[in-house]
Amino acid sequence: IPDTMMRKYPILLLAALLSAACGGTAARTGRTAAKDTASTASATTAEPVEYTYRVKAVHPHSTTAYTQGLQYADGYLWEGTGQYGESVVRRVEIETGEGEVLFSLPRSEFGEGITLLDGRLYQLTWQSNTAHVYDLATRRKIRDHRYAGEGWGLTTDGEKLYMSDGTASIRTIDPETFRRERTTTVTYKGEPVQFLNELEWIEGKIWANVYTSDRIAIIDPWTGVVEGVVDLSGLLPEEEVTPSTDVLNGIAYDPATKRIFVTGKNWSKLFEIEIIRK
């Protein structure tokens, strides 16, 4: 999302994310239905776990990379970047921060989230209503898919795709057809959480950057309930902030070692973090 959006939408969304409002569920008939309803209402309004962080390692990150999507695979970080005329997908060496550009978008398209699944790389675009699909073996684009609305973040559980569009919704997508199978509203204590951005699948949960904030929402992918909030305030040192430095955005996970990587748009650093319950 371009920096003009930052000016258009000031940091109001944390009021929704951290508010304590409660939401109800519709009544259903029958003893089992009533029990399920009570359970759902309890989960919806449950107190999310609050986390802070510890930095385990720091790696270089290109300050020209306007990070829109991030994923770890095959020993590399895969990064999708934005901005018109600059949107690319690159494969990055973690230790050096050096990246190889694999795919470039036309100047008319603004790149957004990416994810890898079954030897293919999927890339969203912001307002072009198009998802590009690339074959990693040949490094060629094999098809495009059209979708309604904006594209923001993208992740996978190994079977389906999960897509954000800047609202409180996460769509479950069939990777072959890109047809929407389900839409889940993400809520914090019953209130919708707007501006869900970059997504990552971690241990059965969806982690989502919340645009314009320093917080990550940990979401139950089936119910949409925010079960945890990671506060990454102060992660990038003040001395590393420049006029081109933009917001926190980008989450990647190495399931083999359980490493969690985070960065931001035009940030100078990639951080490996451990989350700690407050």
Side-chain angles (χ1 to χ4, degrees):
I1 308 305
D3 52 11
T4 54
M5 293 283 285
M6 284 285 290
R7 294 189 290 272
K8 184 176 180 181
Y9 297 110
I11 304 178
L12 299 176
L13 107 107
L14 261 294
L17 180 61
L18 300 179
S19 68
C22 295
T25 57
R28 294 179 293 179
T29 59
R31 182 176 299 175
T32 301
K35 182 178 178 181
D36 290 345
T37 300
S39 176
T40 301
S42 176
T44 300
T45 60
E47 190 72 25
V49 179
E50 299 284 337
Y51 296 95
T52 183
Y53 64 93
R54 181 175 72 87
V55 175
K56 299 181 67 177
V58 181
H59 307 286
H61 181 256
S62 173
T63 55
T64 63
Y66 194 79
T67 307
Q68 301 289 74
L70 202 65
Q71 184 169 347
Y72 178 92
D74 304 323
Y76 293 93
L77 280 179
W78 299 72
E79 184 173 37
T81 69
Q83 304 289 30
Y84 291 108
E86 301 175 13
S87 296
V88 301
V89 175
R90 24 181 244 137
R91 188 174 63 181
V92 181
E93 293 185 358
I94 294 174
E95 298 301 325
T96 65
E98 295 296 322
E100 175 190 8
V101 174
L102 304 180
F103 310 108
S104 298
L105 287 184
R107 298 186 64 84
S108 60
E109 294 185 349
F110 193 111
E112 287 284 346
I114 65 166
T115 198
L116 285 73
L117 177 63
D118 294 335
R120 296 174 180 175
L121 187 142
Y122 296 79
Q123 181 184 28
L124 300 178
T125 55
W126 178 33
Q127 293 182 321
S128 299
N129 313 111
T130 303
H132 301 297
V133 186
Y134 307 95
D135 181 271
L136 295 179
T138 62
R139 296 192 182 184
R140 292 180 180 274
K141 185 169 72 172
I142 54 177
R143 68 173 62 97
D144 288 339
H145 292 291
R146 301 286 291 173
Y147 54 83
E150 296 185 355
W152 285 43
L154 194 64
T155 191
T156 181
D157 62 0
E159 294 183 2
K160 302 295 183 180
L161 304 179
Y162 298 84
M163 173 182 170
S164 66
D165 61 4
T167 68
S169 297
I170 291 181
R171 311 177 193 176
T172 304
I173 303 290
D174 182 316
E176 291 300 320
T177 63
F178 225 79
R179 293 185 63 181
R180 183 189 315 178
E181 297 184 343
R182 187 167 178 266
T183 299
T184 304
T185 300
V186 174
T187 59
Y188 177 93
K189 298 183 181 180
E191 289 297 309
V193 180
Q194 301 293 330
F195 301 129
L196 298 173
N197 201 1
E198 213 270 318
L199 307 177
E200 181 73 5
W201 187 274
I202 301 181
E203 303 293 330
K205 307 296 181 184
I206 294 176
W207 289 37
N209 284 118
V210 182
Y211 186 57
T212 77
S213 83
D214 291 324
R215 287 169 169 79
I216 292 172
I218 302 176
I219 303 161
D220 182 310
W222 184 252
T223 65
V225 172
V226 174
E227 299 182 338
V229 177
V230 185
D231 185 351
L232 295 181
S233 299
L235 180 60
L236 186 67
E238 285 294 328
E239 59 269 22
E240 297 289 336
V241 176
T242 71
S244 66
T245 304
D246 212 313
V247 297
L248 177 80
N249 199 52
I251 311 164
Y253 182 61
D254 176 3
T257 64
K258 301 189 183 303
R259 291 183 295 173
I260 301 169
F261 301 96
V262 294
T263 191
K265 303 171 186 284
N266 302 131
W267 281 26
S268 58
K269 298 288 188 294
L270 170 80
F271 297 91
E272 179 186 336
I273 63 167
E274 173 188 3
I275 64 171
I276 304 167
R277 189 165 182 163
K278 287 185 178 179

